[in-house]
Amino acid sequence: MDPCEVVVAVDLGGTRMKCGLVAADGAVLHRETRPTPRADARDGGRAVLDALLETVVELGQKATAEGHRVRAIGVVVPGVIDAEHGTVGAENLEWVGTPVLAELKAAITEDVPVVLAHDVRAGGYAEFRQGALAGTTNSMFLPLGTGIAAAMIVDGSLVSGDGYAGELGHSKFIHGDAAELCACGQWGCLETVASAAALARRYAARTGRTVDGAREVMELLASGDPDAAQVWQDALTALVDALVLYTTLVAPTRIAIGGGLIGAGETLLQPLREGVHARLTFQREPEIVAAVLGEEAGMLGAAQMAWDRAHEEETV
């Protein structure tokens, strides 16, 4: 590969980091996956932060060793990001107001811009620029994985809300005795019934039988297991409620569903389409499709955001 300009892109997850060196035309010149250390509350998730810093530095060194010029660095993380201060709160990483942006800037030697963003918003941005949401001006990316969050495209722009926007998974859709306590401290969140983690947990609670994640619940559903069917129906009902509310408020023309649960394919998508269609009256009905970029969406979004920042600084 001939030397060229690249950005360093890292998508930090709870168990893995998806990393890349990405050229201006979107070509991924190098990709790798690294383990994310187990977060420890006793050190405030320091091991995770150190692993992230090491990864960014080493990817920059690799780019330089191969003759590439690093133009910017893009890092995306889960949790709530305070965009003004560059701090992150992420329960699964044991970060509470952790100054991630400042630490990144201190660790790198290159005089290049550093972008810190939310992993789901980055994934949605990638789907918007080059994936299932391309060509839209009002749309949403909704990955259904261990948790649930949304990336919102409104009037052609990605909504950040200063780093706080898109937490659809922490909106209350379950009421009364059926409401369960969410990790966020609220009762009845969408995430408590419709995330991949919730499917496995609720099936185990209902049957007393431990299952190997949402994948096994879906296998049981396919085999006709009535408990799996009920857990699945509860998830679909809550998801339809969430999509109808979002559609009423923001009027997307397309919704791309991603995350681990999209592996269910039409078993997921068709009931969502039918449920939303049955509930809408005057609202514009969105097209509901599968996201297409898979596990690389966050990394590709990080790269695109980094290139955007690099080009912005060129014009200043």
Side-chain angles (χ1 to χ4, degrees):
M1 179 65 66
D2 293 333
C4 64
E5 294 185 331
V6 300
V7 296
V8 171
V10 179
D11 175 9
L12 174 67
T15 59
R16 293 179 299 157
M17 285 181 272
K18 279 82 75 179
C19 317
L21 297 175
V22 184
D25 63 359
V28 181
L29 305 186
H30 169 77
R31 50 168 56 84
E32 64 179 82
T33 300
R34 298 189 179 198
T36 300
R38 183 180 295 276
D40 190 337
R42 292 173 296 181
D43 66 1
R46 185 70 218 186
V48 176
L49 181 56
D50 286 344
L52 172 63
L53 299 176
E54 179 181 290
T55 296
V56 169
V57 169
E58 290 181 356
L59 284 169
Q61 291 171 342
K62 179 177 180 60
T64 300
E66 295 181 359
H68 303 308
R69 178 192 174 200
V70 176
R71 289 292 311 280
I73 293 169
V75 173
V76 299
V77 300
V80 175
I81 300 170
D82 183 330
E84 180 181 357
H85 300 101
T87 58
V88 180
E91 292 176 358
N92 63 335
L93 303 180
E94 300 294 348
W95 287 353
V96 179
T98 301
V100 176
L101 184 59
E103 292 267 8
L104 285 167
K105 289 181 176 179
I108 64 173
T109 56
E110 300 92 343
D111 182 20
V112 297
V114 180
V115 177
L116 175 67
H118 190 269
D119 55 355
V120 172
R121 277 193 291 278
Y125 192 50
E127 293 285 353
F128 173 58
R129 294 294 296 268
Q130 63 190 90
L133 301 180
T136 66
T137 53
N138 290 280
S139 53
M140 176 173 68
F141 171 58
L142 185 66
L144 306 175
T146 303
I148 299 175
M152 305 181 295
I153 308 296
V154 177
D155 294 339
S157 297
L158 181 68
V159 177
S160 170
D162 299 320
Y164 290 84
E167 296 293 343
L168 188 61
H170 295 293
S171 297
K172 185 180 180 74
F173 290 100
I174 312 301
H175 301 273
D177 293 340
E180 300 175 37
L181 181 63
C182 182
C184 75
Q186 183 177 221
W187 290 81
C189 290
L190 176 66
E191 197 169 285
T192 65
V193 294
S195 66
L199 290 179
R201 176 180 49 75
R202 298 186 77 244
Y203 182 86
R206 184 180 180 89
T207 64
R209 302 195 304 271
T210 302
V211 291
D212 183 19
R215 177 191 57 78
E216 187 172 349
V217 176
M218 298 310 297
E219 291 173 354
L220 290 164
L221 175 69
S223 71
D225 183 294
D227 292 303
Q230 186 58 60
V231 168
W232 184 241
Q233 186 55 55
D234 291 344
L236 290 173
T237 298
L239 284 169
V240 168
D241 285 345
L243 296 182
V244 169
L245 175 62
Y246 187 86
T247 296
T248 303
L249 293 175
V250 190
T253 58
R254 190 178 304 157
I255 295 171
I257 308 293
L261 286 189
I262 196 56
E266 289 301 310
T267 302
L268 171 65
L269 294 174
Q270 192 57 32
L272 293 182
R273 294 185 189 112
E274 292 172 354
V276 170
H277 177 78
R279 291 273 303 279
L280 299 183
T281 53
F282 67 92
Q283 303 96 325
R284 177 169 64 181
E285 183 170 350
E287 180 185 12
I288 300 176
V289 302
V292 298
L293 297 178
E295 291 189 343
E296 283 201 330
M299 185 273 287
L300 294 172
Q304 186 63 62
M305 290 176 170
W307 272 114
D308 287 351
R309 181 67 61 82
H311 293 148
E312 286 172 7
E313 299 211 352
E314 276 184 350
T315 62
V316 173

